[in-house]
Amino acid sequence: MAVTGISANRLELLQIADAVAREKNIDKEIVVEAIEEAIQKGAKSRYGAHHDIRAKIDIKTGEMLLTRHVTIVEDDWQPEDELEEFNDSAMVRLTDAMKRDPEAVVGKEYVEVLPPFEFGRVQTQMARQVVTGKVREAERANQYEEFKDRVGEIVNGTVKRVEYGNTIVDLGRGEGIMRRNDSIPREVFNIGDRIRTYIYDVRAEAKGPQVMLSRAHPGFMAKLFAQEVPEVYDGVIEIRAAARDAGSRAKMAVLSNDSSIDPVGACVGMRGSRVQAVVAELQGEKIDIIQWNPDEPTFIVNALAPAEVSKVVLDEEADRVEVVVPDEQLSLAIGRRGQNVRLASQLTGWQIDIITESQDSERRQREFAERTQLFQEALDVDEVIAQLLVTEGFATIEDLAFIDPYEISEIEGFDEDTAEELQARATDFLAKQAAVLDAKRIELGVEDGVLQVPGVTLPMAVALGEGGVKTVEDLADLATDEIRGGFDVKDGERIKVPGVLESFNMAQADAEMLILQARVAAGWIDASELPQPEPEPEYEEAGEEGVLDAEAVFEAPAAEADAEDEDDAETEVPAGDPETPVDA
């Protein structure tokens, strides 16, 4: 759009503004304001940039008024900005103004109407740039407002161009970009192709809003099911989680809010019609539809299907889960290139480690032998008694030393005297062990104050000393990675960096709290700044160490499993799993 002069036909000026507004889909007022600013810049170029010149166009009649303003200021006026200075072309001090105007007051403006003028070549170019810039800014603002609330929607568009693997899509009122890693592998688009994509983010950037599109996002699959399955669209069936290996395989967890509706069957449809419509859009991607379950172990078992699971052991502090599967099911549970376990991990939010029953059995036998030997040496008892203690669930000397003697005497073949003697030997062993550790701590130069920090034990103090941490200040100055261990990158290679307390397997939150407690002890922060623990919800007593009773998964809720079951974690998973996923 070119501005040739302010003497242009008034009606023509409004027509131009109206045409630009319709073409760019922006308000007419914005175009008129851009023209006013362009005229102001042109006038300042003609009369001088130091003048306060304003242009005003009547949006109804097209009448244009060009005025110069002079404002009265205080006699002792001081600039608010270092770069600002008194401008005698746009300002007049009160004393000087009162010489010509007895009614002069601070803030009063004198307005002078300027005559029309013709734009020269320089002014025309400047005006064109101003109007173009303003219109572009308005377009960008409109586009951001248009798409910012549409995150999570599927949109239809046309491929506009393809640049370095990134696809630019015309969405009608704006453009979106689908990066190479957001597209389905081996899927090729040509200019002009119609395409369905998922908006996963809208970013307001300096070069304009960026509408980020994807066909590989799990949300794209979920929204496709919402279009194909009326129950999902109506909210009767919820898609609680989804994970995808785009173009290859996906897993989706569904839940029905109506007990009379099977969520898996509804998503599959008659003879697979519904799921096949989604599979076709996703270029043949196989989809496992499983039933979501609020019980985490049950959900993990479902997520790993079609593999059978014998046992699940949760480590809630580390967000890890160990899954035991039959030897012949190992490759099925892991999947090709780890695909099955990776998708199950993404779906459930747990890091899943898979071992076979034979590996689990070997580990248990090894642990049994190690614990038996520990009790034999520490308590000076024969192998039969040591094995009996391990069988009854005692894993450490501390377990035996600090338990109620009654629980020891209840073991078959033991009496109260035996219980007291065993506890006395355990306490004596721990005392000797503590003395040795304390001597080693002192030898390493670890201060007594380190032991006073809540959460620090004698073995930890020794480990800290071996790592060069000898004072409270040293401990307070550590980072969590220095305690738990982490990774560093050197010469492009990822290198494992050990932590001083890595062998204690501390959770991230525990390591952070240990550092904060040390900072309180060092006087760096106040105790009131420590995070307050949230009240723990009340649960019924669960099975041993978070181990899943596989029989209870399909017959009764885990919380209602028989607490007196000898080993409720090692029950075989029954055949005929009613929640087996449907592989599309």
Side-chain angles (χ1 to χ4, degrees):
M1 172 185 173
V3 180
T4 57
I6 61 172
S7 59
N9 182 279
R10 293 176 296 177
L11 186 57
E12 181 183 335
L13 194 64
L14 290 181
Q15 288 174 343
I16 293 172
D18 191 52
V20 172
R22 284 200 307 271
E23 179 186 350
K24 302 297 184 180
N25 194 34
I26 59 178
D27 290 338
K28 181 179 178 181
E29 290 80 357
I30 294 176
V31 181
V32 172
E33 288 175 5
I35 297 174
E36 289 174 348
E37 185 175 335
I39 294 173
Q40 286 175 197
K41 283 186 176 289
K44 286 187 176 183
S45 174
R46 181 182 181 89
Y47 294 110
H50 52 284
H51 290 287
D52 181 8
I53 298 176
R54 304 174 194 175
K56 184 66 179 175
I57 298 175
D58 191 314
I59 200 167
K60 294 181 179 179
T61 64
E63 192 72 36
M64 211 282 300
L65 183 65
L66 190 65
T67 55
R68 172 177 174 264
H69 295 248
V70 178
T71 306
I72 299 174
V73 297
E74 296 278 3
D75 290 338
D76 57 351
W77 177 88
Q78 295 295 329
E80 297 180 0
D81 194 317
E82 293 181 359
L83 300 177
E84 190 179 4
E85 59 182 17
F86 184 80
N87 182 1
D88 56 5
S89 296
M91 300 177 183
V92 59
R93 298 190 186 278
L94 180 60
T95 302
D96 297 334
M98 291 185 67
K99 294 177 181 178
R100 292 175 292 177
D101 181 11
E103 298 180 359
V105 292
V106 174
K108 183 177 179 180
E109 286 187 345
Y110 297 107
V111 181
E112 175 187 358
V113 178
L114 299 178
F117 69 95
E118 290 294 331
F119 271 48
R121 183 180 61 82
V122 175
Q123 288 93 342
T124 301
Q125 183 65 23
M126 184 189 303
R128 182 183 291 112
Q129 291 174 352
V130 170
V131 174
T132 303
K134 282 287 184 180
V135 169
R136 187 179 295 115
E137 286 179 11
E139 278 187 286
R140 290 172 176 173
N142 260 13
Q143 186 175 348
Y144 181 73
E145 291 297 322
E146 170 77 17
F147 291 101
K148 71 174 184 178
D149 296 325
R150 298 183 64 184
V151 173
E153 290 185 12
I154 287 181
V155 291
N156 296 309
T158 306
V159 175
K160 196 171 183 180
R161 60 185 184 276
V162 179
E163 300 174 347
Y164 307 106
N166 300 327
T167 306
I168 312 301
V169 182
D170 184 357
L171 302 175
R173 294 191 175 183
E175 288 183 357
I177 179 170
M178 182 171 67
R179 302 192 185 279
R180 179 181 299 174
N181 58 342
D182 287 323
S183 60
I184 297 175
R186 300 179 300 280
E187 192 174 47
V188 179
F189 293 105
N190 298 313
I191 296 175
D193 288 352
R194 294 287 296 172
I195 181 175
R196 278 204 289 183
T197 57
Y198 176 81
I199 301 176
Y200 70 89
D201 193 15
V202 178
R203 306 168 186 169
E205 298 183 0
K207 60 182 179 181
Q210 295 289 299
V211 181
M212 311 305 295
L213 306 175
S214 176
R215 286 174 58 81
H217 197 283
F220 182 53
M221 179 181 68
K223 285 295 182 181
L224 288 174
F225 270 99
Q227 292 180 355
E228 297 293 337
V229 183
E231 292 88 347
V232 175
Y233 181 82
D234 294 336
V236 178
I237 294 176
E238 295 181 41
I239 299 176
R240 301 301 297 266
R244 292 181 62 194
D245 190 350
S248 177
R249 191 173 178 183
K251 287 180 181 286
M252 185 175 73
V254 294
L255 172 69
S256 175
N257 294 320
D258 186 340
S259 58
S260 64
I261 297 178
D262 172 23
V264 175
C267 290
V268 173
M270 185 69 68
R271 296 181 181 176
S273 58
R274 291 175 174 178
V275 72
Q276 287 302 328
V278 177
V279 168
E281 179 67 33
L282 299 180
Q283 304 300 311
E285 189 172 311
K286 292 183 178 180
I287 304 174
D288 291 346
I289 304 174
I290 68 172
Q291 187 159 336
W292 184 85
N293 196 297
D295 181 60
E296 294 284 1
T298 307
F299 185 31
I300 292 167
V301 170
N302 294 344
L304 282 169
E308 298 176 7
V309 175
S310 303
K311 185 174 65 174
V312 175
V313 182
L314 302 179
D315 183 353
E316 296 186 0
E317 290 187 353
D319 285 336
R320 298 178 70 94
V321 57
E322 184 178 86
V323 176
V324 180
V325 299
D327 291 36
E328 66 277 7
Q329 292 282 317
L330 180 62
S331 59
L332 186 61
I334 295 175
R336 186 180 59 181
R337 298 179 182 175
Q339 187 182 66
N340 190 57
V341 68
R342 183 172 64 253
L343 289 176
S345 179
Q346 294 173 10
L347 191 73
T348 60
W350 290 80
Q351 186 170 341
I352 301 175
D353 300 323
I354 296 182
I355 63 173
T356 63
E357 289 180 342
S358 59
Q359 290 172 330
D360 183 51
S361 176
E362 290 174 5
R363 185 185 61 183
R364 284 179 170 273
Q365 290 175 8
R366 185 175 62 253
E367 289 177 352
F368 186 86
E370 290 172 353
R371 291 174 183 176
T372 299
Q373 185 176 1
L374 171 65
F375 283 120
Q376 280 185 267
E377 295 175 354
L379 305 177
D380 190 22
V381 295
D382 59 30
E383 186 179 11
V384 175
I385 294 178
Q387 288 179 347
L388 189 55
L389 290 172
V390 176
T391 304
E392 289 296 326
F394 294 101
T396 65
I397 303 300
E398 288 82 355
D399 292 345
L400 188 66
F402 303 115
I403 201 172
D404 191 324
Y406 172 77
E407 296 191 32
I408 302 175
S409 63
E410 283 292 298
I411 299 174
E412 186 176 352
F414 287 9
D415 53 24
E416 293 182 4
D417 293 337
T418 304
E420 291 177 2
E421 178 62 25
L422 288 174
Q423 283 200 311
R425 293 186 184 185
T427 304
D428 185 53
F429 173 79
L430 292 175
K432 290 178 180 178
Q433 193 178 49
V436 172
L437 288 173
D438 198 44
K440 189 172 183 180
R441 172 188 69 83
I442 295 171
E443 182 183 346
L444 290 169
V446 179
E447 294 181 350
D448 294 344
V450 174
L451 270 178
Q452 304 302 318
V453 176
V456 176
T457 61
L458 257 176
M460 285 184 182
V462 172
L464 289 170
E466 292 172 342
V469 180
K470 300 182 179 182
T471 67
V472 175
E473 288 74 14
D474 291 342
L475 180 57
D477 199 39
L478 293 179
T480 53
D481 284 350
E482 294 175 296
I483 288 181
R484 301 177 67 239
F487 291 89
D488 197 5
V489 178
K490 290 184 179 179
D491 299 327
E493 186 178 352
R494 199 162 179 253
I495 300 174
K496 180 75 171 71
V497 179
V500 290
L501 299 179
E502 186 173 353
S503 61
F504 292 87
N505 296 320
M506 295 183 69
Q508 178 79 13
D510 293 336
E512 291 173 357
M513 179 57 72
L514 184 65
I515 294 171
L516 289 174
Q517 292 283 11
R519 291 175 182 177
V520 170
W524 295 3
I525 62 174
D526 189 77
S528 60
E529 299 179 42
L530 293 177
Q532 298 300 315
E534 296 182 2
E536 295 186 1
E538 295 183 2
Y539 294 109
E540 293 183 16
E541 187 172 353
E544 178 184 341
E545 297 182 357
V547 178
L548 167 67
D549 180 353
E551 184 177 352
V553 168
F554 308 113
E555 294 186 0
E560 297 176 3
D562 188 359
E564 296 179 5
D565 191 350
E566 180 178 355
D567 190 355
D568 61 354
E570 300 182 9
T571 310
E572 294 293 331
V573 180
D577 179 6
E579 297 181 354
T580 299
V582 175
D583 186 353

